[in-house]
Amino acid sequence: MDLSYTPEEEDFRGRLREWLAKVLPGLPPKPSPDDWPGRRAYDLGWQRTLYDAGYAGLHWPIDAGGRGATPTQHLIFLEETENAGAPYVGANFVGLLHAGPTIAAEGSAEQRARWLPPVLRGEEVWCQGFSEPDAGSDLAALRTRAWRDGDDYVVSGSKIWTSHAEVADWCELLVRTDAKAPKHRGISWLAMPMDAPGITVRPLRTLAGSTEFAEVFLDEVRVPVANRVGAENDGWRVTMVTLSFERGTAFVGEVVACRRVLGELAREARKNGRWDDAVLRRGLGRLNAEFRALWRLTQWNVSESERAGGVPGIGGSVFKLRYSRARQELYDAAAEVLGPEALDLDSRWTLDRLSSLSYTIAAGTSQIQRNIVAERILGLPKGR
Amino acid sequence: MDFQLTDDQRALRAGVRELLVRRFGRERLRAAVDAPDAPNLDRALWRELGEAGFFALRLPESAGGVGLGLPEAVLAFEEAGRALLTGPLVATHLAAGEVPGAATGETVVAAVDGTLVEWLDAADVVRGDVTGAVPMRSADPLTPLHRVPRAAPPDPVAALLTAAEQLGSAARTCELAVQHARTREQFGQPIGAFQAVKHLCSEMLVRVEVARGAVYAAAVTADPLDIAAAGLLADEAAERGARDCLQVHGGMGFTWESDVHLHLKRAWLRARRGQSAAEAEEALAEDLQSAAPGPRT
Ligand SMILES: Cc1cc2nc3c(=O)[nH]c(=O)nc-3n(C[C@H](O)[C@H](O)[C@H](O)COP(=O)(O)OP(=O)(O)OC[C@H]3O[C@@H](n4cnc5c(N)ncnc54)[C@H](O)[C@@H]3O)c2cc1C
């Protein structure tokens, strides 16, 4: 058990810290939450800045355009960027954190060469077309169909809750390529260009008032067969790879962010006098224990995946269950500290509190994660 | 950073587990519980633990110890917690090198912790001021207790080793619940196929794993705040784990015959050791006022 970093890692941390201190003050102001083209440009701009400095795709394999760094270096990268208050991945979330890693792990050489560099350079945005109106938790019940016509698949159906669909160039899309096969067997994983004819994106308004996600209607959309990642009808296995990245590593930076937010909250409480309330103060202390422990669990999981060769293990579900709840507790505590101001929609605390509500739903609900932990880690029988 | 057990650490853990299964397996445990008199300290076992290096684990080799560190001690105490091993383990371990015979298990050392002393009558040496000690009818049938008027200040290493025991107990109750849920049938299927039961079990595991990260990290850093956090999470994992395990066992869980109550009572007792939850939370709250709260590594 070793939590110390090697001299090379410390050196990497030091250079990164210096670089962040240099570039962050010069960043343009953040666009407003509903300015989608502005947000896209901002997020891609930051990605380009990272790329130019050699920090893009740090832990991706070198032949996938990455830097071949260890998961530990990536962990340091996430810790330092969050602590410095660098921009969040934002619109690049899917491309960088799960579609990209999936293509790196499962794609052909041509597919890696086609799709990965633009993600790293901040040129293309991806979205995730997994969920459907009748296939959410029961993802394999998806009905969007694809049939072959020459070198193309022709895709019809609809997707829902597709985050960032409005500004995406590509969609990691799950389709049913064999309607007669058992439900997990007839699925394929496609990369669909979002500007193809037949795609209609209808934004949905979230409870926070923004248009974070959308419904996507697909009417005989042509997707080249060459865009299929993995074998035909083997998409469920590929999907498990995607989900292991989505649940396993995608939230790592956010734990650090929560730790920072908790510190801000404590200082806010001291300013407005709420710190004198022992119950509230102790609650914040407890949250400190919680986020410290989640950080340790992160380090544990990263070390485990480093030993296993880079693919995150099933521990991601354990982490996500606790993290998604802790994040909601953090913003509930913020409401306690802020008092009436917690009802002000112009307060970023209020918007963040509202958005924290999605964490126990998106990327697999807490109930589904509990099923996964019980059946796949603890070996309990599947229910009828 | 390689925050995983080394091969040596795995071997150590397996060795301690094997020793405890052999010397303090279920039959011994139940025999101790059902002994006619007050709980008896098994001196032969104590010496065997001494020979195995349990108490001298962190003592330098030059002083006749094993020369290992806190992480190894934590692994050993985790196993002790799993097995519900009885006796003033933490106090004797901390006395190794200071009290003659403690390292080898020849001398049994008890200590005042807060306003309680465990195993006062059985001990050869007691550390702390025990004037005015009054015996209690202990809730834990395997740990005799005295109350003392003057509280002793908490020791962080004692708190960490206690957290390790809590972790072991939590992991064990999770295992017991899962074993039972796999085999006990109702409505024509194992109860573990019911989601209500399944979800109790998965939450138990989540608490264990979160506590494990915190306890192991605190063993590596020995930072008082890491130890405070580890204590809070390990207490939660042990106490709630035992309760949920009892729930999964149904009526059987409420009996004296099942081991669940032993884990629960010991978890309650350990949660009383060292810093109180309130003090730990206050210390962690204070940390939030610094510019960069949270772990430094
Ligand atoms: C902010 C946000 C962003 C999202 N972004 C995307 C995206 O970009 N791409 C994408 O594909 N999807 C996205 N999703 C969709 C998300 O993955 C689904 O909402 C989620 O998987 C749940 O599916 P559902 O909404 O159909 O709910 P349902 O599956 O209908 O679930 C409703 C309730 O029933 C419970 N339930 C369902 N099945 C079970 C079961 N077997 N056992 C116990 N309880 C059960 C659930 O836990 C939940 O409480 C997003 C969702 C949110 C909230």
Side-chain angles (χ1 to χ4, degrees):
Chain A
M1 277 189 268
D2 181 13
L3 283 166
S4 64
Y5 295 90
T6 63
E8 296 80 59
E9 285 163 350
E10 288 298 358
D11 182 52
F12 170 78
R13 187 194 292 277
R15 276 180 292 123
L16 174 59
R17 210 176 265 183
E18 260 172 51
W19 178 76
L20 286 166
K22 214 167 59 207
V23 316
L24 291 181
L27 280 190
K30 274 206 179 90
S32 83
D34 268 326
D35 172 10
W36 277 101
R39 279 174 70 173
R40 177 189 152 103
Y42 183 86
D43 294 343
L44 288 179
W46 172 242
Q47 183 58 30
R48 180 73 205 195
T49 307
L50 287 173
Y51 179 83
D52 288 341
Y55 289 119
L58 261 183
H59 66 309
W60 288 19
I62 291 172
D63 63 353
R67 320 279 303 181
T70 60
T72 301
Q73 268 181 329
H74 185 228
L75 191 76
I76 295 171
F77 171 79
L78 291 170
E79 193 180 17
E80 291 300 324
T81 44
E82 279 299 339
N83 274 333
Y88 179 63
V89 279
N92 290 313
F93 186 88
V94 172
L96 281 171
L97 301 181
H98 49 92
T102 303
I103 293 168
E106 297 289 330
S108 66
E110 300 83 65
Q111 290 175 331
R112 290 150 69 124
R114 166 62 192 89
W115 286 309
L116 298 178
V119 168
L120 295 182
R121 287 196 300 258
E123 288 161 7
E124 290 179 349
V125 167
W126 283 69
C127 64
Q128 180 188 35
F130 282 15
S131 306
E132 297 184 7
D134 291 324
S137 299
D138 189 7
L139 180 56
L142 63 94
R143 289 209 292 247
T144 292
R145 285 218 46 202
W147 57 95
R148 281 234 202 182
D149 182 27
D151 289 340
D152 290 339
Y153 286 112
V154 180
V155 183
S156 283
S158 71
K159 295 287 169 178
I160 198 165
W161 321 126
T162 318
S163 303
H164 306 133
E166 276 184 273
V167 292
D169 305 288
W170 293 93
C171 177
E172 50 171 2
L173 186 76
L174 294 186
V175 295
R176 187 159 293 289
T177 33
D178 183 352
K180 288 192 278 305
K183 81 179 187 187
H184 294 89
R185 299 271 167 74
I187 295 171
S188 298
W189 197 108
L190 305 182
M192 176 177 77
M194 287 297 284
D195 59 359
I199 300 179
T200 310
V201 175
R202 192 173 71 85
L204 293 163
R205 198 154 179 237
T206 71
L207 51 63
S210 65
T211 53
E212 202 71 38
F213 49 33
E215 236 173 325
V216 178
F217 300 96
L218 306 168
D219 182 15
E220 304 207 340
V221 180
R222 297 190 84 86
V223 179
V225 172
N227 288 18
R228 192 190 63 230
V229 174
E232 187 167 273
N233 298 329
D234 192 29
W236 188 251
R237 193 187 56 75
V238 182
T239 303
M240 290 302 111
V241 174
T242 310
L243 294 183
S244 82
F245 283 109
E246 184 175 10
R247 291 162 187 171
T249 44
F251 296 107
V252 170
E254 297 190 30
V255 184
V256 185
C258 283
R259 243 165 51 192
R260 201 185 67 225
V261 168
L262 184 60
E264 277 168 38
L265 191 60
R267 291 189 286 278
E268 180 64 36
R270 180 148 281 177
K271 253 194 282 165
N272 74 10
R274 293 289 280 132
W275 192 250
D276 296 335
D277 178 339
V279 173
L280 182 132
R281 195 174 61 232
R282 284 180 49 190
L284 296 181
R286 183 123 206 144
L287 279 169
N288 188 8
E290 186 81 18
F291 284 110
R292 276 171 177 267
L294 283 165
W295 177 244
R296 297 320 191 179
L297 186 56
T298 301
Q299 290 175 310
W300 183 265
N301 287 344
V302 165
S303 294
E304 193 175 44
S305 90
E306 190 156 315
R307 282 196 183 188
V311 177
I314 189 94
S317 290
V318 170
F319 175 84
K320 183 181 184 279
L321 266 169
R322 186 81 173 219
Y323 171 70
S324 56
R325 196 191 69 195
R327 188 180 173 107
Q328 290 172 4
E329 285 170 359
L330 169 64
Y331 285 101
D332 286 347
E336 285 277 299
V337 170
L338 296 174
E341 211 195 299
L343 292 172
D344 182 349
L345 273 181
D346 283 332
S347 156
R348 85 172 163 87
W349 293 101
T350 312
L351 284 179
D352 286 346
R353 186 184 190 200
L354 287 171
S355 89
S356 78
L357 299 173
S358 72
Y359 280 73
T360 45
I361 298 171
T365 70
S366 290
Q367 285 69 35
I368 295 302
Q369 307 297 343
R370 286 190 194 103
N371 289 350
I372 292 172
V373 169
E375 289 165 14
R376 293 204 229 141
I377 302 182
L378 297 176
L380 286 171
K382 278 196 183 296
R384 278 197 303 233
Chain B
M1 184 193 72
D2 180 18
F3 190 35
Q4 294 278 307
L5 268 53
T6 63
D7 291 343
D8 285 349
Q9 286 168 338
R10 274 174 218 281
L12 172 87
R13 184 173 66 176
V16 177
R17 184 173 299 187
E18 196 264 322
L19 166 72
L20 292 182
V21 167
R22 183 162 46 77
R23 277 301 271 113
F24 197 70
R26 175 122 211 288
E27 271 146 53
R28 289 283 174 139
L29 173 71
R30 295 311 308 201
V33 175
D34 298 330
D37 313 317
N40 241 321
L41 197 81
D42 182 344
R43 293 244 168 196
L45 171 58
W46 210 254
R47 273 190 299 276
E48 252 186 82
L49 287 171
E51 273 161 36
F54 190 91
F55 302 117
L57 206 59
R58 291 185 306 125
L59 208 58
E61 285 176 69
S62 56
V66 188
L68 294 173
L70 264 184
E72 288 75 20
V74 153
L75 293 173
F77 274 79
E78 182 184 342
E79 292 306 318
R82 268 181 79 84
L84 276 170
L85 188 60
T86 59
L89 296 162
V90 174
T92 303
H93 178 97
L94 289 177
E98 291 173 25
V99 174
T104 54
E106 232 81 45
T107 311
V108 176
V109 184
V112 181
D113 190 324
T115 54
L116 292 175
V117 193
E118 300 171 24
W119 295 95
L120 177 59
D121 293 335
D124 305 313
V125 175
V126 184
R127 308 224 282 177
D129 182 1
V130 290
T131 25
V134 182
M136 295 163 66
R137 225 157 69 79
S138 172
D140 175 5
L142 291 173
T143 312
L145 282 177
H146 282 73
R147 224 188 309 252
V148 292
R150 271 171 300 276
D155 171 331
V157 175
L160 176 61
L161 297 178
T162 295
E165 286 186 79
Q166 294 286 57
L167 171 63
S169 174
R172 182 67 187 141
T173 51
C174 179
E175 258 173 41
L176 289 172
V178 169
Q179 269 169 22
H180 187 70
R182 280 211 203 113
T183 45
R184 168 72 172 169
E185 293 196 3
Q186 288 292 331
F187 301 95
Q189 61 178 346
I191 57 169
F194 297 113
Q195 234 176 22
V197 173
K198 209 174 260 186
H199 288 189
L200 274 180
C201 294
S202 51
E203 285 295 322
M204 289 168 85
L205 183 77
V206 170
R207 288 191 297 263
V208 168
E209 293 306 314
V210 171
R212 185 184 304 285
V215 171
Y216 288 2
V220 173
T221 67
D223 175 286
L225 287 168
D226 278 338
I227 293 176
L232 287 172
L233 291 153
D235 285 350
E236 181 196 20
E239 293 181 70
R240 294 211 36 207
R243 273 175 200 269
D244 288 352
C245 180
L246 195 152
Q247 184 66 23
V248 169
H249 279 78
M252 202 213 275
F254 196 68
T255 64
W256 189 264
E257 276 66 43
S258 107
D259 294 346
V260 184
H261 70 110
L262 301 174
H263 278 283
L264 180 61
K265 291 165 179 171
R266 190 73 62 83
W268 280 349
L269 179 151
R270 293 191 201 105
R272 285 264 140 222
R273 290 191 200 148
Q275 218 176 22
S276 72
E279 287 162 341
E281 286 163 358
E282 289 286 4
L284 285 156
E286 203 44 51
D287 170 57
L288 291 175
Q289 295 291 343
S290 67
R296 310 278 176 263
T297 48

